[in-house]
Amino acid sequence: MLSSKDAYKRLDEVFDHANFDDCHRAIMVGCGGRPFTMFRIHDQTTVPEIVGLDIVPEAVETANRLAAKLNYTRLRAELCNGCHYDYGAAQIVYVASMVSPKAAVVSRIADTAPDGVQIILWEPCSFALLWSESAERELDPRLEVIGRTSISRNMTRDVFVRRRAAVTHEPQR
């Protein structure tokens, strides 16, 4: 398991790739009871609404308690399955490593999120594929990978995804 410091620092490269400037709502699917990704977004950006989703009631309760204790007023966690959430107001969606079924969650994001949504997948590499699902391997055909961070010591990396450009067919002349 990553230490708290390592979990927070692991996100350094994410901020080199993702653009939070015009983000009004960031969603963290699988926030967990140690929502370091949400904390880092809160600390490093001015995103007015950072929402964590989790299916474990204790994780949601712990995340909300920690946010209140740290006075992170722009952050909240909700008890919700990412497969059922409406991502229509999100500009950035980050999907945690242990989310399951991960590919279905990513497809739900593609179904409901706006066209310009930035999707970040915390993906397993190497042996980590034994205990974490990979959405990249079963990536929704409406989406494409546009970048990756380096592999961290816990055998994961962040994968940046966006919608594929619409293909228009012009009549041949």
Side-chain angles (χ1 to χ4, degrees):
M1 179 182 272
L2 284 177
S3 72
S4 297
K5 179 182 174 186
D6 288 341
Y8 194 86
K9 287 274 302 160
R10 186 194 70 74
L11 297 162
D12 287 349
E13 282 186 76
V14 169
F15 289 91
D16 293 337
H17 292 357
N19 182 358
F20 288 86
D21 292 345
D22 294 321
C23 182
H24 301 287
R25 178 183 280 177
I27 306 295
M28 175 72 203
V29 184
C31 67
R34 296 184 334 150
F36 292 106
T37 302
M38 293 171 61
F39 291 172
R40 183 71 184 266
I41 293 169
H42 190 280
D43 290 346
Q44 196 158 334
T45 73
T46 59
V47 174
E49 189 176 14
I50 305 162
V51 180
L53 308 177
D54 210 294
I55 60 170
V56 179
E58 295 81 13
V60 171
E61 183 180 328
T62 301
N64 282 327
R65 253 196 262 134
L66 282 170
K69 184 173 181 133
L70 295 170
N71 199 30
Y72 282 4
T73 58
R74 298 179 287 126
L75 186 149
R76 75 173 187 284
E78 298 177 6
L79 184 63
C80 182
N81 186 321
C83 286
H84 306 297
Y85 192 78
D86 182 349
Y87 299 91
Q91 289 74 48
I92 294 181
V93 181
Y94 191 107
V95 182
S97 62
M98 298 304 287
V99 168
S100 179
K102 198 178 222 180
V105 169
V106 174
S107 288
R108 175 67 179 174
I109 296 165
D111 289 342
T112 62
D115 287 343
V117 68
Q118 297 175 74
I119 304 167
I120 307 164
L121 309 174
W122 189 3
E123 286 285 283
C125 302
S126 187
F127 287 119
L129 287 162
L130 296 173
W131 57 83
S132 293
E133 293 179 26
S134 170
E136 182 179 10
R137 286 183 162 191
E138 301 175 40
L139 193 61
D140 188 297
R142 296 171 288 179
L143 304 171
E144 65 181 342
V145 173
I146 57 169
R148 294 177 180 88
T149 60
S150 55
I151 298 172
S152 69
R153 65 187 190 113
N154 69 335
M155 294 180 285
T156 62
R157 67 175 164 206
D158 293 293
V159 177
F160 302 91
V161 176
R162 71 172 177 210
R163 288 189 193 284
R164 290 185 185 276
V167 177
T168 57
H169 296 283
E170 294 194 22
Q172 292 184 347
R173 298 178 197 248

